[in-house]
Amino acid sequence: QVTLVESGGGLVQAGGSLRLSCAASGRTFSSHTMGWFRQGPGKEREFVAAVSRLGFNTAYADSVKGRFIISRDNAKNTLYLQMNSLKPEDTAVYYCAGGRQSRLVLSAGEYDYWGQGTQVTVSS
């Protein structure tokens, strides 16, 4: 069992930056592929980014490519999402997720563990 707790959300102006963190419990963090998802007001949950178990491989949604960076520190059991050049359309609740698959996972249904989410609001 893995417990995930996100932090770092908040209110930021368009063009600003935020760094989200996701702290994982347990000793198996490095055996999980990890991802970030978001759900905006009135929208479906959507994929944002994913990172492989050792952090060598990443994937991004087209909408955030070049602006967001996903990374992980397995020694600290922590996942990160550096968000730059934020836009109002990035406003959403951001969730971290963990999956037992050995490959990168882009589909929410393939993740096994979820955090409670952290709100990110970008003002124009």
Side-chain angles (χ1 to χ4, degrees):
Q1 184 72 19
V2 175
T3 301
L4 304 173
V5 179
E6 303 96 333
S7 62
L11 174 64
V12 63
Q13 289 189 331
S17 298
L18 279 176
R19 188 194 197 197
L20 305 183
S21 298
C22 173
S25 66
R27 301 178 180 180
T28 61
F29 179 72
S30 61
S31 66
H32 288 75
T33 189
M34 299 296 295
W36 287 98
F37 288 76
R38 67 186 182 186
Q39 187 166 13
K43 298 181 180 180
E44 298 288 322
R45 187 171 299 191
E46 64 175 357
F47 168 77
V48 175
V51 61
S52 60
R53 293 173 173 179
L54 297 183
F56 295 141
N57 297 306
T58 58
Y60 296 92
D62 288 343
S63 59
V64 306
K65 201 171 294 183
R67 300 187 298 124
F68 291 10
I69 300 172
I70 188 171
S71 62
R72 65 190 298 164
D73 186 336
N74 287 344
K76 296 182 178 180
N77 280 9
T78 304
L79 175 72
Y80 302 100
L81 185 68
Q82 178 66 43
M83 305 187 295
N84 302 318
S85 302
L86 283 161
K87 306 175 181 180
E89 51 263 44
D90 293 318
T91 295
V93 177
Y94 283 71
Y95 300 89
C96 70
R100 292 188 289 264
Q101 293 78 359
S102 59
R103 55 180 173 80
L104 283 178
V105 178
L106 277 61
S107 172
E110 296 188 75
Y111 280 89
D112 303 292
Y113 308 108
W114 291 85
Q116 83 290 348
T118 185
Q119 176 71 47
V120 172
T121 303
V122 184
S123 63
S124 58

